[in-house]
Amino acid sequence: MEAVTLDDATILSLFGADDAENETPDRLKEYFYVNKAYQAITSTMPIRVVVGHKGVGKSALLKRAHLHDLDSGQSSVWLQADSITDVQDEASKEANFVKRISVWRQGILREVLKVFYGEEAEKLVPELRTSSYQSLAKVLIKHLDGQKAGASINIYIDDIDRGWKAHENDIVNISALLNAIRDISGAHPQIRFRIGLRSDVYFLVRTSDESTDKIEANVVSLRWSNDDILRVLAKRISTYFDLNISDDEISRLEQSAITSRILSKVMEPEFKGRGKWESRPVHKILLSMTRARPRDLVKLLRLAAQMAHSRDRSVISSIDFHDVFEKYSQERLQDIVNEFASEVPNVERLLLSMKPAKKERLASNSYLFTTASLSSKIGNILSNTPISFTNKKSVTGRAIIQFLYKIDFITARKDLDNGNIDRKYFDQSRFLAHEIVDFGYGWEIHPAYRWALQPQDVNEILNTLDV
Protein backbone atom coordinates (compact mmCIF):
# COMPACT_ATOMS: atom_id res chain seq x y z
CA MET A 1 0.00 0.00 0.00
CA GLU A 2 1.41 3.36 -1.03
CA ALA A 3 2.14 5.91 1.67
CA VAL A 4 -0.34 8.76 1.93
CA THR A 5 0.51 12.42 1.62
CA LEU A 6 -0.89 14.07 4.72
CA ASP A 7 -2.03 17.31 3.10
CA ASP A 8 -5.20 19.04 4.31
CA ALA A 9 -7.45 17.39 1.72
CA THR A 10 -6.19 13.93 2.66
CA ILE A 11 -6.52 14.65 6.37
CA LEU A 12 -10.15 15.69 5.86
CA SER A 13 -10.93 12.53 3.89
CA LEU A 14 -9.02 10.33 6.30
CA PHE A 15 -10.33 11.50 9.66
CA GLY A 16 -13.54 13.25 8.64
CA ALA A 17 -14.84 16.77 9.19
CA ASP A 18 -15.18 18.36 12.63
CA ASP A 19 -18.95 18.42 12.29
CA ALA A 20 -21.66 16.79 10.22
CA GLU A 21 -22.63 20.04 8.52
CA ASN A 22 -19.28 20.09 6.72
CA GLU A 23 -19.22 16.41 5.79
CA THR A 24 -20.39 15.11 2.45
CA PRO A 25 -23.40 12.77 2.73
CA ASP A 26 -21.61 9.92 0.95
CA ARG A 27 -18.55 10.05 3.22
CA LEU A 28 -20.71 10.32 6.34
CA LYS A 29 -22.69 7.24 5.33
CA GLU A 30 -19.46 5.41 4.51
CA TYR A 31 -17.69 5.89 7.83
CA PHE A 32 -20.62 6.29 10.25
CA TYR A 33 -20.31 3.79 13.07
CA VAL A 34 -23.73 2.47 14.08
CA ASN A 35 -24.35 2.44 17.83
CA LYS A 36 -27.30 2.01 20.16
CA ALA A 37 -28.12 5.72 20.03
CA TYR A 38 -28.55 5.45 16.26
CA GLN A 39 -30.80 2.43 16.69
CA ALA A 40 -32.86 4.38 19.22
CA ILE A 41 -33.29 7.42 17.02
CA THR A 42 -34.28 5.41 13.94
CA SER A 43 -37.04 3.64 15.85
CA THR A 44 -40.69 4.55 15.31
CA MET A 45 -40.98 6.38 18.63
CA PRO A 46 -42.78 9.71 18.11
CA ILE A 47 -40.17 11.80 19.96
CA ARG A 48 -36.42 11.37 20.34
CA VAL A 49 -34.35 14.04 22.10
CA VAL A 50 -30.63 13.40 21.58
CA VAL A 51 -28.70 14.81 24.54
CA GLY A 52 -24.94 15.09 24.68
CA HIS A 53 -22.04 17.50 25.02
CA LYS A 54 -20.90 19.64 22.13
CA GLY A 55 -18.62 17.56 19.92
CA VAL A 56 -20.06 14.13 20.75
CA GLY A 57 -21.72 13.80 17.34
CA LYS A 58 -25.36 14.80 17.87
CA SER A 59 -25.56 16.49 14.49
CA ALA A 60 -23.86 13.54 12.78
CA LEU A 61 -26.31 11.14 14.39
CA LEU A 62 -29.32 13.22 13.36
CA LYS A 63 -28.00 13.78 9.85
CA ARG A 64 -27.23 10.10 9.32
CA ALA A 65 -30.75 9.18 10.45
CA HIS A 66 -32.18 11.82 8.10
CA LEU A 67 -30.14 10.42 5.21
CA HIS A 68 -31.43 6.95 6.10
CA ASP A 69 -34.99 8.30 5.87
CA LEU A 70 -34.34 9.79 2.45
CA ASP A 71 -32.77 6.57 1.17
CA SER A 72 -35.63 4.42 2.48
CA GLY A 73 -38.45 6.64 1.25
CA GLN A 74 -39.49 7.81 4.71
CA SER A 75 -40.90 11.36 4.65
CA SER A 76 -38.35 13.52 6.46
CA VAL A 77 -37.69 17.25 6.97
CA TRP A 78 -34.52 18.86 8.30
CA LEU A 79 -35.02 22.16 10.15
CA GLN A 80 -31.75 23.92 10.87
CA ALA A 81 -31.76 26.54 13.61
CA ASP A 82 -31.66 29.47 11.17
CA SER A 83 -34.84 28.26 9.45
CA ILE A 84 -36.87 28.64 12.63
CA THR A 85 -35.16 31.74 14.06
CA ASP A 86 -38.32 33.82 13.56
CA VAL A 87 -40.37 31.22 15.43
CA GLN A 88 -37.84 31.16 18.26
CA ASP A 89 -37.81 34.95 18.49
CA GLU A 90 -41.59 35.16 18.46
CA ALA A 91 -41.87 32.55 21.20
CA SER A 92 -39.28 34.35 23.33
CA LYS A 93 -41.47 37.46 23.44
CA GLU A 94 -44.41 35.64 25.00
CA ALA A 95 -44.57 36.07 28.77
CA ASN A 96 -47.36 33.50 29.04
CA PHE A 97 -45.92 29.98 28.95
CA VAL A 98 -49.01 28.40 27.38
CA LYS A 99 -48.99 30.99 24.60
CA ARG A 100 -45.29 30.37 24.07
CA ILE A 101 -46.00 26.68 23.53
CA SER A 102 -48.69 27.65 21.03
CA VAL A 103 -46.22 29.79 19.06
CA TRP A 104 -43.84 26.85 18.83
CA ARG A 105 -46.56 24.41 17.72
CA GLN A 106 -47.79 26.64 14.94
CA GLY A 107 -44.35 27.85 13.90
CA ILE A 108 -42.81 24.42 13.50
CA LEU A 109 -45.71 23.08 11.44
CA ARG A 110 -45.67 26.18 9.23
CA GLU A 111 -41.98 25.70 8.52
CA VAL A 112 -42.50 22.03 7.65
CA LEU A 113 -45.32 22.88 5.25
CA LYS A 114 -43.12 25.55 3.64
CA VAL A 115 -40.55 22.85 2.91
CA PHE A 116 -43.20 20.88 0.99
CA TYR A 117 -44.92 23.77 -0.76
CA GLY A 118 -42.02 26.17 -1.25
CA GLU A 119 -42.37 29.90 -1.83
CA GLU A 120 -46.01 29.52 -2.86
CA ALA A 121 -46.90 27.91 0.46
CA GLU A 122 -49.12 30.68 1.79
CA LYS A 123 -51.00 30.89 -1.48
CA LEU A 124 -51.45 27.12 -1.77
CA VAL A 125 -52.12 26.51 1.92
CA PRO A 126 -54.44 29.17 3.35
CA GLU A 127 -54.23 27.42 6.72
CA LEU A 128 -50.71 28.78 7.13
CA ARG A 129 -52.36 32.02 8.20
CA THR A 130 -54.53 30.30 10.79
CA SER A 131 -54.01 30.48 14.54
CA SER A 132 -54.86 26.80 14.99
CA TYR A 133 -51.99 24.34 15.02
CA GLN A 134 -54.54 21.53 14.67
CA SER A 135 -55.53 22.89 11.28
CA LEU A 136 -51.88 22.93 10.23
CA ALA A 137 -51.40 19.38 11.48
CA LYS A 138 -54.40 18.19 9.47
CA VAL A 139 -53.00 19.80 6.31
CA LEU A 140 -49.66 18.07 6.88
CA ILE A 141 -51.30 14.70 7.49
CA LYS A 142 -53.44 15.12 4.39
CA HIS A 143 -50.29 15.83 2.40
CA LEU A 144 -48.65 12.69 3.80
CA ASP A 145 -51.72 10.56 3.09
CA GLY A 146 -51.61 11.83 -0.49
CA GLN A 147 -48.23 10.14 -0.82
CA LYS A 148 -49.17 6.97 1.06
CA ALA A 149 -52.09 6.18 3.33
CA GLY A 150 -51.04 6.29 6.97
CA ALA A 151 -47.62 7.73 6.13
CA SER A 152 -45.55 9.35 8.88
CA ILE A 153 -42.97 12.13 8.88
CA ASN A 154 -39.76 12.59 10.85
CA ILE A 155 -38.99 16.23 11.64
CA TYR A 156 -35.35 16.90 12.59
CA ILE A 157 -34.43 20.04 14.53
CA ASP A 158 -30.72 20.62 15.04
CA ASP A 159 -28.72 23.40 16.70
CA ILE A 160 -31.80 24.78 18.42
CA ASP A 161 -29.56 25.78 21.35
CA ARG A 162 -27.32 27.91 19.14
CA GLY A 163 -26.85 31.27 20.83
CA TRP A 164 -27.80 29.77 24.20
CA LYS A 165 -27.12 32.22 27.06
CA ALA A 166 -28.50 30.21 29.97
CA HIS A 167 -30.84 33.08 30.81
CA GLU A 168 -34.19 32.24 32.37
CA ASN A 169 -35.91 33.19 29.11
CA ASP A 170 -33.70 30.74 27.18
CA ILE A 171 -34.55 27.94 29.61
CA VAL A 172 -38.28 28.65 29.39
CA ASN A 173 -38.12 28.79 25.59
CA ILE A 174 -36.51 25.34 25.23
CA SER A 175 -39.00 23.98 27.74
CA ALA A 176 -41.87 25.42 25.69
CA LEU A 177 -40.43 23.80 22.56
CA LEU A 178 -40.30 20.39 24.23
CA ASN A 179 -43.87 20.79 25.41
CA ALA A 180 -44.94 21.84 21.90
CA ILE A 181 -43.52 18.77 20.16
CA ARG A 182 -45.05 16.55 22.84
CA ASP A 183 -48.46 18.15 22.17
CA ILE A 184 -48.16 17.67 18.41
CA SER A 185 -46.96 14.07 18.51
CA GLY A 186 -49.38 13.22 21.29
CA ALA A 187 -52.33 14.29 19.15
CA HIS A 188 -50.84 13.09 15.86
CA PRO A 189 -48.39 10.17 16.39
CA GLN A 190 -47.51 10.07 12.71
CA ILE A 191 -45.79 13.47 13.14
CA ARG A 192 -42.51 12.54 14.79
CA PHE A 193 -39.66 14.68 16.09
CA ARG A 194 -35.92 14.16 16.46
CA ILE A 195 -34.12 16.99 18.28
CA GLY A 196 -30.56 17.52 19.47
CA LEU A 197 -29.75 19.34 22.74
CA ARG A 198 -26.50 19.98 24.55
CA SER A 199 -26.24 18.24 27.92
CA ASP A 200 -25.87 21.48 29.86
CA VAL A 201 -28.93 22.93 28.16
CA TYR A 202 -31.06 19.88 28.90
CA PHE A 203 -29.77 19.78 32.49
CA LEU A 204 -30.83 23.38 33.18
CA VAL A 205 -34.21 22.86 31.51
CA ARG A 206 -34.79 19.55 33.27
CA THR A 207 -33.97 20.99 36.71
CA SER A 208 -35.96 24.19 36.17
CA ASP A 209 -39.25 22.90 34.74
CA GLU A 210 -41.17 20.08 36.37
CA SER A 211 -43.17 19.46 33.19
CA THR A 212 -40.07 18.11 31.44
CA ASP A 213 -40.40 14.86 33.36
CA LYS A 214 -42.95 13.97 30.68
CA ILE A 215 -40.25 14.13 28.00
CA GLU A 216 -37.65 12.16 29.98
CA ALA A 217 -38.63 8.78 28.52
CA ASN A 218 -37.88 10.15 25.05
CA VAL A 219 -34.30 11.22 25.81
CA VAL A 220 -31.48 9.42 24.00
CA SER A 221 -28.20 10.07 25.81
CA LEU A 222 -25.33 10.13 23.34
CA ARG A 223 -22.32 8.89 25.29
CA TRP A 224 -19.08 7.44 24.07
CA SER A 225 -16.72 5.22 25.98
CA ASN A 226 -13.06 5.37 25.01
CA ASP A 227 -13.51 1.97 23.40
CA ASP A 228 -16.38 3.31 21.28
CA ILE A 229 -14.32 6.27 20.12
CA LEU A 230 -11.43 4.01 19.15
CA ARG A 231 -13.78 1.99 16.94
CA VAL A 232 -15.22 5.15 15.40
CA LEU A 233 -11.67 6.14 14.42
CA ALA A 234 -10.96 2.62 13.14
CA LYS A 235 -14.03 2.78 10.89
CA ARG A 236 -12.92 6.10 9.38
CA ILE A 237 -9.38 4.94 8.66
CA SER A 238 -10.40 1.49 7.38
CA THR A 239 -12.95 2.92 4.93
CA TYR A 240 -10.42 5.45 3.65
CA PHE A 241 -7.96 2.67 2.86
CA ASP A 242 -10.66 0.26 1.60
CA LEU A 243 -9.62 -2.38 4.10
CA ASN A 244 -13.01 -4.11 3.82
CA ILE A 245 -13.44 -4.55 7.56
CA SER A 246 -17.09 -4.72 8.54
CA ASP A 247 -18.66 -2.93 11.50
CA ASP A 248 -19.17 -6.30 13.14
CA GLU A 249 -15.51 -7.19 12.80
CA ILE A 250 -14.42 -3.77 14.06
CA SER A 251 -16.68 -4.23 17.08
CA ARG A 252 -15.01 -7.56 17.89
CA LEU A 253 -11.36 -6.64 17.36
CA GLU A 254 -9.12 -6.33 20.40
CA GLN A 255 -7.84 -2.78 20.87
CA SER A 256 -4.29 -3.93 20.20
CA ALA A 257 -5.43 -5.43 16.89
CA ILE A 258 -7.12 -2.16 15.93
CA THR A 259 -3.82 -0.39 16.50
CA SER A 260 -1.69 -2.90 14.59
CA ARG A 261 -4.09 -3.53 11.68
CA ILE A 262 -5.71 -0.13 11.18
CA LEU A 263 -4.19 2.80 13.10
CA SER A 264 -0.66 1.80 12.05
CA LYS A 265 -1.54 2.83 8.48
CA VAL A 266 -1.15 6.47 9.51
CA MET A 267 0.60 6.57 12.90
CA GLU A 268 3.30 4.81 14.89
CA PRO A 269 1.63 2.05 16.93
CA GLU A 270 3.72 2.71 20.05
CA PHE A 271 4.15 6.05 21.78
CA LYS A 272 7.78 6.93 22.41
CA GLY A 273 7.30 9.41 25.20
CA ARG A 274 8.36 9.60 28.78
CA GLY A 275 6.99 8.96 32.25
CA LYS A 276 3.88 6.82 32.42
CA TRP A 277 3.35 7.20 28.67
CA GLU A 278 6.62 5.58 27.64
CA SER A 279 6.13 2.68 25.19
CA ARG A 280 2.36 2.64 25.62
CA PRO A 281 0.07 1.75 22.66
CA VAL A 282 -0.70 4.92 20.76
CA HIS A 283 -4.46 4.50 21.13
CA LYS A 284 -4.10 4.67 24.93
CA ILE A 285 -2.43 8.06 24.60
CA LEU A 286 -4.94 9.43 22.13
CA LEU A 287 -7.96 8.39 24.15
CA SER A 288 -6.49 9.87 27.34
CA MET A 289 -6.56 13.25 25.59
CA THR A 290 -10.18 13.15 24.46
CA ARG A 291 -13.12 14.20 26.60
CA ALA A 292 -15.36 11.30 25.52
CA ARG A 293 -16.00 13.28 22.34
CA PRO A 294 -15.06 11.94 18.88
CA ARG A 295 -14.54 15.50 17.65
CA ASP A 296 -11.64 15.92 20.09
CA LEU A 297 -9.85 12.98 18.51
CA VAL A 298 -10.40 14.39 15.01
CA LYS A 299 -8.89 17.72 16.07
CA LEU A 300 -5.89 16.11 17.75
CA LEU A 301 -5.20 13.88 14.77
CA ARG A 302 -5.53 16.79 12.36
CA LEU A 303 -2.94 18.83 14.27
CA ALA A 304 -0.54 15.89 14.50
CA ALA A 305 -0.99 14.97 10.82
CA GLN A 306 -0.30 18.57 9.80
CA MET A 307 2.85 18.51 11.91
CA ALA A 308 3.95 15.25 10.27
CA HIS A 309 3.26 16.71 6.82
CA SER A 310 5.43 19.75 7.63
CA ARG A 311 8.24 17.29 8.26
CA ASP A 312 7.58 15.40 5.01
CA ARG A 313 6.37 12.30 6.85
CA SER A 314 3.51 10.07 5.76
CA VAL A 315 3.07 8.50 9.21
CA ILE A 316 2.39 10.46 12.39
CA SER A 317 5.17 9.92 14.91
CA SER A 318 5.28 10.33 18.68
CA ILE A 319 7.20 13.58 18.36
CA ASP A 320 4.45 14.94 16.11
CA PHE A 321 1.88 14.24 18.80
CA HIS A 322 4.16 15.61 21.52
CA ASP A 323 4.67 18.86 19.64
CA VAL A 324 0.95 19.57 19.23
CA PHE A 325 -0.32 18.64 22.70
CA GLU A 326 0.04 22.20 23.98
CA LYS A 327 -1.82 23.73 21.04
CA TYR A 328 -4.51 21.06 21.26
CA SER A 329 -4.88 21.72 24.98
CA GLN A 330 -5.17 25.48 24.49
CA GLU A 331 -7.87 25.00 21.87
CA ARG A 332 -9.88 22.66 24.14
CA LEU A 333 -9.71 25.19 26.95
CA GLN A 334 -10.88 27.89 24.55
CA ASP A 335 -13.73 25.59 23.50
CA ILE A 336 -15.27 25.50 26.96
CA VAL A 337 -14.63 29.19 27.53
CA ASN A 338 -16.63 29.95 24.38
CA GLU A 339 -19.28 27.37 25.21
CA PHE A 340 -19.94 28.34 28.81
CA ALA A 341 -19.11 32.05 29.08
CA SER A 342 -22.84 32.73 28.75
CA GLU A 343 -23.52 30.66 31.88
CA VAL A 344 -20.56 31.87 33.93
CA PRO A 345 -19.31 35.18 32.46
CA ASN A 346 -15.91 34.97 34.15
CA VAL A 347 -15.37 31.31 33.27
CA GLU A 348 -11.99 31.89 31.58
CA ARG A 349 -10.50 33.41 34.71
CA LEU A 350 -12.03 30.63 36.82
CA LEU A 351 -10.47 27.88 34.68
CA LEU A 352 -7.06 29.51 34.42
CA SER A 353 -7.05 29.93 38.20
CA MET A 354 -7.21 26.14 38.47
CA LYS A 355 -3.58 25.86 37.35
CA PRO A 356 -1.20 24.27 39.86
CA ALA A 357 0.38 26.65 42.31
CA LYS A 358 4.17 26.94 42.14
CA LYS A 359 4.68 24.44 44.97
CA GLU A 360 2.25 22.00 43.33
CA ARG A 361 3.72 21.87 39.80
CA LEU A 362 6.11 18.97 40.29
CA ALA A 363 3.82 16.96 42.53
CA SER A 364 2.47 13.78 40.99
CA ASN A 365 -1.00 14.64 42.27
CA SER A 366 -1.04 18.31 41.27
CA TYR A 367 -4.17 17.76 39.16
CA LEU A 368 -5.86 15.39 41.60
CA PHE A 369 -8.16 16.49 44.42
CA THR A 370 -10.34 15.23 47.20
CA THR A 371 -13.65 17.07 47.49
CA ALA A 372 -12.24 18.89 50.51
CA SER A 373 -9.02 19.97 48.78
CA LEU A 374 -10.89 21.02 45.63
CA SER A 375 -13.36 23.02 47.73
CA SER A 376 -10.42 24.70 49.46
CA LYS A 377 -8.75 25.60 46.14
CA ILE A 378 -12.02 26.97 44.76
CA GLY A 379 -12.58 28.91 47.97
CA ASN A 380 -9.24 30.64 47.45
CA ILE A 381 -10.17 31.41 43.85
CA LEU A 382 -13.55 32.85 44.86
CA SER A 383 -11.91 35.13 47.40
CA ASN A 384 -9.94 36.79 44.59
CA THR A 385 -12.17 36.30 41.54
CA PRO A 386 -15.75 37.53 41.10
CA ILE A 387 -17.78 34.56 39.83
CA SER A 388 -21.51 34.51 39.14
CA PHE A 389 -24.06 32.31 37.39
CA THR A 390 -26.22 33.94 34.74
CA ASN A 391 -29.30 32.17 36.10
CA LYS A 392 -28.66 33.73 39.57
CA LYS A 393 -27.74 30.41 41.19
CA SER A 394 -25.89 30.83 44.48
CA VAL A 395 -22.11 30.65 44.11
CA THR A 396 -20.60 28.15 46.55
CA GLY A 397 -17.57 25.90 46.40
CA ARG A 398 -19.73 22.83 45.79
CA ALA A 399 -21.77 24.69 43.14
CA ILE A 400 -18.52 25.47 41.29
CA ILE A 401 -17.43 21.82 41.57
CA GLN A 402 -20.75 20.79 40.06
CA PHE A 403 -20.26 23.30 37.23
CA LEU A 404 -16.69 22.16 36.50
CA TYR A 405 -17.89 18.56 36.48
CA LYS A 406 -20.81 19.38 34.21
CA ILE A 407 -18.57 21.00 31.59
CA ASP A 408 -16.06 18.10 31.76
CA PHE A 409 -13.24 20.29 33.03
CA ILE A 410 -12.95 17.84 35.90
CA THR A 411 -13.91 14.18 35.99
CA ALA A 412 -14.82 12.05 38.99
CA ARG A 413 -12.14 9.56 39.94
CA LYS A 414 -11.79 6.63 42.31
CA ASP A 415 -8.67 4.45 42.62
CA LEU A 416 -9.78 0.82 42.84
CA ASP A 417 -8.20 -1.95 44.91
CA ASN A 418 -7.15 -3.84 41.74
CA GLY A 419 -5.00 -0.92 40.58
CA ASN A 420 -7.46 0.35 37.97
CA ILE A 421 -9.04 3.79 37.96
CA ASP A 422 -12.79 4.32 37.85
CA ARG A 423 -13.44 7.58 35.97
CA LYS A 424 -16.88 9.05 35.42
CA TYR A 425 -18.16 11.99 33.41
CA PHE A 426 -21.15 14.13 34.29
CA ASP A 427 -23.27 12.46 31.60
CA GLN A 428 -22.66 9.12 33.28
CA SER A 429 -23.39 10.09 36.87
CA ARG A 430 -24.50 13.67 37.40
CA PHE A 431 -25.12 13.37 41.15
CA LEU A 432 -21.50 12.62 42.04
CA ALA A 433 -20.96 16.37 42.35
CA HIS A 434 -24.11 16.94 44.39
CA GLU A 435 -23.92 19.99 46.62
CA ILE A 436 -25.05 18.07 49.71
CA VAL A 437 -24.15 14.38 49.34
CA ASP A 438 -20.56 13.10 49.02
CA PHE A 439 -20.28 9.77 47.16
CA GLY A 440 -16.63 9.18 47.95
CA TYR A 441 -15.14 10.11 44.58
CA GLY A 442 -12.16 12.38 44.13
CA TRP A 443 -11.59 14.69 41.18
CA GLU A 444 -9.00 15.29 38.49
CA ILE A 445 -8.56 18.00 35.91
CA HIS A 446 -8.96 16.36 32.52
CA PRO A 447 -5.63 15.79 30.69
CA ALA A 448 -6.94 17.71 27.67
CA TYR A 449 -6.49 20.98 29.61
CA ARG A 450 -3.25 20.41 31.48
CA TRP A 451 -0.82 21.69 28.87
CA ALA A 452 -2.82 24.94 28.66
CA LEU A 453 -2.64 25.33 32.46
CA GLN A 454 1.04 24.44 32.73
CA PRO A 455 2.77 25.62 29.52
CA GLN A 456 6.08 26.22 31.32
CA ASP A 457 6.41 22.55 32.32
CA VAL A 458 4.90 20.63 29.40
CA ASN A 459 7.31 17.70 29.71
CA GLU A 460 6.55 17.22 33.39
CA ILE A 461 2.90 16.60 32.54
CA LEU A 462 3.83 13.33 30.83
CA ASN A 463 5.52 12.17 34.02
CA THR A 464 2.33 12.58 36.06
CA LEU A 465 -0.43 11.50 33.67
CA ASP A 466 -2.14 8.20 34.37
CA VAL A 467 -3.17 6.46 31.15
Side-chain angles (χ1 to χ4, degrees):
M1 182 178 294
E2 293 185 7
V4 296
T5 301
L6 293 173
D7 55 27
D8 287 344
T10 301
I11 293 171
L12 178 62
S13 297
L14 184 56
F15 301 124
D18 284 349
D19 49 66
E21 293 90 340
N22 295 318
E23 191 62 88
T24 63
D26 287 344
R27 181 63 176 137
L28 178 62
K29 287 190 286 187
E30 182 180 41
Y31 72 58
F32 187 84
Y33 186 75
V34 173
N35 57 11
K36 290 181 180 179
Y38 177 77
Q39 294 167 351
I41 201 173
T42 52
S43 73
T44 58
M45 293 288 288
I47 297 175
R48 303 274 81 180
V49 181
V50 182
V51 173
H53 276 300
K54 187 174 182 179
V56 299
K58 297 185 300 297
S59 293
L61 181 67
L62 291 168
K63 185 175 180 181
R64 182 65 187 92
H66 176 58
L67 293 172
H68 171 77
D69 288 347
L70 299 180
D71 290 343
S72 63
Q74 165 67 48
S75 187
S76 183
V77 168
W78 182 275
L79 296 180
Q80 196 71 21
D82 54 6
S83 65
I84 53 175
T85 297
D86 291 343
V87 181
Q88 192 167 9
D89 291 345
E90 185 182 352
S92 297
K93 296 173 185 176
E94 282 288 352
N96 184 288
F97 186 63
V98 174
K99 290 183 178 179
R100 194 180 292 218
I101 294 172
S102 180
V103 171
W104 273 116
R105 288 187 310 220
Q106 296 160 28
I108 290 171
L109 292 175
R110 284 195 188 103
E111 292 304 317
V112 172
L113 287 169
K114 286 178 183 178
V115 171
F116 288 126
Y117 291 97
E119 295 180 359
E120 298 294 311
E122 291 197 5
K123 183 186 296 183
L124 297 172
V125 187
E127 289 86 351
L128 284 176
R129 296 186 292 274
T130 185
S131 60
S132 168
Y133 95 89
Q134 290 286 8
S135 297
L136 296 172
K138 289 176 182 178
V139 172
L140 177 56
I141 291 170
K142 184 178 179 180
H143 174 83
L144 295 172
D145 285 341
Q147 298 175 330
K148 181 182 178 182
S152 60
I153 181 172
N154 290 334
I155 300 170
Y156 293 84
I157 302 178
D158 191 29
D159 263 359
I160 194 64
D161 45 28
R162 183 187 297 175
W164 170 263
K165 299 297 182 185
H167 294 153
E168 182 180 356
N169 193 47
D170 294 331
I171 296 171
V172 173
N173 215 30
I174 296 294
S175 179
L177 166 62
L178 295 176
N179 277 274
I181 65 173
R182 189 170 61 85
D183 286 351
I184 295 172
S185 286
H188 309 283
Q190 61 270 60
I191 303 177
R192 307 190 297 222
F193 291 90
R194 279 84 180 95
I195 293 181
L197 284 179
R198 285 190 348 225
S199 294
D200 60 301
V201 174
Y202 178 73
F203 176 73
L204 286 178
V205 173
R206 180 70 182 88
T207 55
S208 301
D209 178 11
E210 61 182 20
S211 70
T212 54
D213 66 336
K214 298 172 183 176
I215 208 83
E216 189 175 13
N218 301 295
V219 169
V220 176
S221 295
L222 184 53
R223 299 172 181 151
W224 296 97
S225 67
N226 278 354
D227 186 72
D228 291 332
I229 294 175
L230 179 63
R231 295 174 200 284
V232 168
L233 174 62
K235 178 72 179 289
R236 295 188 182 196
I237 295 175
S238 66
T239 53
Y240 177 84
F241 286 106
D242 294 323
L243 299 181
N244 294 318
I245 303 177
S246 68
D247 280 15
D248 183 61
E249 186 175 0
I250 288 177
S251 70
R252 289 185 285 104
L253 283 175
E254 295 288 337
Q255 290 188 355
S256 58
I258 288 177
T259 296
S260 61
R261 288 183 56 185
I262 302 175
L263 270 58
S264 62
K265 303 296 181 186
V266 289
M267 64 189 78
E268 291 179 345
E270 185 177 277
F271 190 80
K272 299 177 177 63
R274 55 185 295 181
K276 298 177 182 179
W277 287 21
E278 174 65 32
S279 300
R280 298 302 299 272
V282 69
H283 68 266
K284 295 281 188 182
I285 310 305
L286 299 182
L287 297 177
S288 294
M289 294 294 290
T290 67
R291 302 165 297 169
R293 311 181 192 195
R295 186 183 299 177
D296 281 4
L297 191 54
V298 171
K299 289 178 178 294
L300 176 56
L301 290 170
R302 177 181 297 113
L303 289 173
Q306 289 171 339
M307 181 61 71
H309 183 59
S310 72
R311 293 164 170 163
D312 295 322
R313 283 200 279 263
S314 60
V315 172
I316 303 170
S317 70
S318 301
I319 192 65
D320 297 321
F321 282 120
H322 183 279
D323 289 350
V324 300
F325 281 152
E326 184 179 353
K327 182 177 181 180
Y328 167 80
S329 183
Q330 290 170 347
E331 290 181 351
R332 300 296 69 75
L333 188 66
Q334 189 63 53
D335 281 347
I336 55 171
V337 168
N338 295 344
E339 191 172 347
F340 295 101
S342 58
E343 187 173 343
V344 176
N346 215 3
V347 64
E348 181 173 7
R349 187 170 171 184
L350 169 64
L351 299 180
L352 290 175
S353 297
M354 291 295 295
K355 67 182 185 297
K358 186 175 182 180
K359 63 182 179 180
E360 299 171 331
R361 286 176 190 161
L362 299 181
S364 61
N365 62 348
S366 57
Y367 291 95
L368 307 181
F369 306 89
T370 63
T371 297
S373 65
L374 183 55
S375 295
S376 176
K377 186 176 183 71
I378 290 172
N380 292 333
I381 294 172
L382 293 179
S383 66
N384 297 296
T385 306
I387 301 295
S388 63
F389 291 102
T390 303
N391 65 356
K392 310 301 182 185
K393 180 179 179 178
S394 297
V395 178
T396 64
R398 293 297 288 267
I400 296 298
I401 290 176
Q402 186 181 64
F403 171 72
L404 295 177
Y405 182 43
K406 184 182 72 174
I407 68 176
D408 285 349
F409 182 77
I410 60 174
T411 54
R413 169 183 171 134
K414 181 181 287 186
D415 293 312
L416 303 178
D417 293 338
N418 61 7
N420 292 329
I421 301 172
D422 177 23
R423 290 185 172 96
K424 291 190 183 299
Y425 288 86
F426 178 81
D427 277 354
Q428 295 172 296
S429 190
R430 68 178 61 174
F431 289 110
L432 290 183
H434 198 277
E435 292 184 49
I436 299 175
V437 182
D438 190 333
F439 290 92
Y441 276 75
W443 309 96
E444 66 177 323
I445 295 176
H446 196 284
Y449 307 113
R450 298 186 192 181
W451 276 267
L453 297 178
Q454 197 175 342
Q456 69 274 37
D457 294 312
V458 293
N459 286 324
E460 291 301 328
I461 296 174
L462 289 176
N463 290 329
T464 60
L465 273 174
D466 292 314
V467 178

